[in-house]
Amino acid sequence: MRLLQKLGASLALLLAAAAPALAEDGVDHYSVGDLDVMVIRDADVTMGQQLLPDLAQKAPEFVGVFQNGPVPAVDQAFYFKKDGRQVLVDAGWGKEHKVEGHTADLLHENGIAEDDITDILLTHMDMDHIGGLLSNGRPVYPNATLWISRPEYEAWVGGGGVNRGEGAVDLARKAAAAYKVKQFDYGDELFPGVTAVDASGHTPGHTAYDVVSGKDKMTIAGDILHIAPVQLARPELSTVYDMDGAKAAAARKRLLDRAAAERSLFAGMHFPMVSDVRKLPDNGFAMKQPR
């Protein structure tokens, strides 16, 4: 019975991942108290089984998720206004890298200029999250303060070391140099209603953000999930993208457990669902498919 439950959950989540991620215009809106949080589809991508090299040994019942090849996923960014600030969470790919990102384009289409952005909260410094910060070496959002967790800054910019290659590290350093940077520690309230949450493991300073307004909360959890059809049901499975797989798995379980207990909105950069989280009897999790 447990195996059938897992397979059923896997199929449902696969269908959810394959559904249109957002509205046809590339954005969707979610209410968090009196805040309007805009989810921005920066790019459509896919995730293949090779990202989970131990899948056949550790969870063979999920190999069928990839029977038709890589599963659909997304790259996303988030935007909201709060207390006079215009806040962007991650900046997507931009126009100068292997995937074309559309975050700045979609902001424009919704009446938001690059100069309007006052704060950019980075979940981490991988290329698909910071590529959109620069264009021809210049800041795309010239009035923005760049918020980076202290361990993330040290790993990428301060020489602490990451396994992402020279080009990725060079981009991170150039991006940090182009902006006013504020570093923070986990647990810090960066400004009222926005708190940094430890999600480290994917990268040394990977950060989730709790956005709270009134009684409502949305957790923007960065790269806590890459392949939702598998990792929601089996959160102990990390991808090759995770620099510390065991730590990333612990963060994934911790944040999903917390979201399930709170019934708060849960969102991320690579899965299209934005909803509350439900814990399953077999200790896996489920989210509603995209609306």
Side-chain angles (χ1 to χ4, degrees):
M1 179 61 70
R2 182 172 294 181
L3 177 60
L4 291 175
Q5 287 175 336
K6 287 182 177 179
L7 290 173
S10 173
L11 178 59
L13 289 166
L14 177 60
L15 293 173
L22 297 166
E24 289 184 2
D25 62 359
V27 303
D28 206 349
H29 296 266
Y30 291 84
S31 295
V32 180
D34 61 0
L35 299 182
D36 173 33
V37 179
M38 181 190 299
V39 186
I40 303 166
R41 186 172 59 212
D42 186 68
D44 293 310
V45 295
T46 59
M47 303 282 181
Q49 186 179 339
Q50 74 278 7
L51 300 180
L52 294 165
D54 298 330
L55 184 66
Q57 291 74 37
K58 294 184 176 179
E61 67 271 26
F62 285 94
V63 171
V65 168
F66 301 96
Q67 63 183 343
N68 296 318
V71 296
V74 290
D75 288 326
Q76 296 184 152
F78 295 78
Y79 165 88
F80 58 92
K81 292 182 181 180
K82 185 169 176 55
D83 300 329
R85 299 175 184 265
Q86 297 199 44
V87 182
L88 186 64
V89 185
D90 287 349
W93 279 100
K95 303 295 186 184
E96 299 176 354
H97 306 287
K98 66 178 182 179
V99 175
E100 182 178 3
H102 299 284
T103 292
D105 301 333
L106 291 169
L107 288 172
H108 264 279
E109 290 177 12
N110 285 271
I112 303 157
E114 292 94 337
D115 290 355
D116 295 338
I117 302 298
T118 61
D119 299 89
I120 301 173
L121 314 184
L122 292 185
T123 62
H124 61 298
M125 299 192 79
D126 273 335
M127 188 176 291
D128 53 332
H129 300 259
I130 68 168
L133 291 175
L134 299 177
S135 178
N136 295 317
R138 300 179 62 84
V140 172
Y141 306 98
N143 298 324
T145 295
L146 198 60
W147 296 80
I148 310 170
S149 77
R150 209 171 299 279
E152 190 74 359
Y153 186 92
E154 175 57 29
W156 290 85
V157 183
V162 290
N163 62 351
R164 288 295 197 257
E166 185 177 340
V169 173
D170 183 60
L171 175 63
R173 290 175 174 169
K174 287 178 178 177
Y179 285 83
K180 177 184 176 181
V181 171
K182 286 192 176 180
Q183 297 180 53
F184 58 82
D185 297 310
Y186 296 132
D188 286 354
E189 188 175 45
L190 308 188
F191 34 91
V194 178
T195 301
V197 179
D198 183 357
S200 55
H202 174 61
T203 63
H206 185 233
T207 304
Y209 296 97
D210 284 343
V211 179
V212 176
S213 178
K215 296 181 179 179
D216 294 343
K217 179 167 82 173
M218 174 186 284
T219 297
I220 301 173
D223 283 18
I224 209 73
L225 292 164
H226 288 89
I227 305 175
V230 176
Q231 290 179 293
L232 276 171
R234 293 293 299 270
E236 71 275 16
L237 298 177
S238 291
T239 72
V240 297
Y241 291 148
D242 294 323
M243 294 187 189
D244 185 328
K247 195 172 184 180
R252 186 161 38 254
K253 293 177 188 177
R254 182 173 66 249
L255 291 182
L256 288 169
D257 264 323
R258 189 186 68 155
E262 294 177 345
R263 305 300 293 227
S264 54
L265 284 177
F266 196 77
M269 277 49 188
H270 294 302
F271 56 94
M273 301 84 78
V274 178
S275 78
D276 59 6
V277 175
R278 181 168 53 91
K279 193 162 187 175
L280 302 176
D282 60 1
N283 291 319
F285 298 88
M287 296 176 67
K288 297 175 185 175
Q289 73 174 40
R291 65 186 187 186

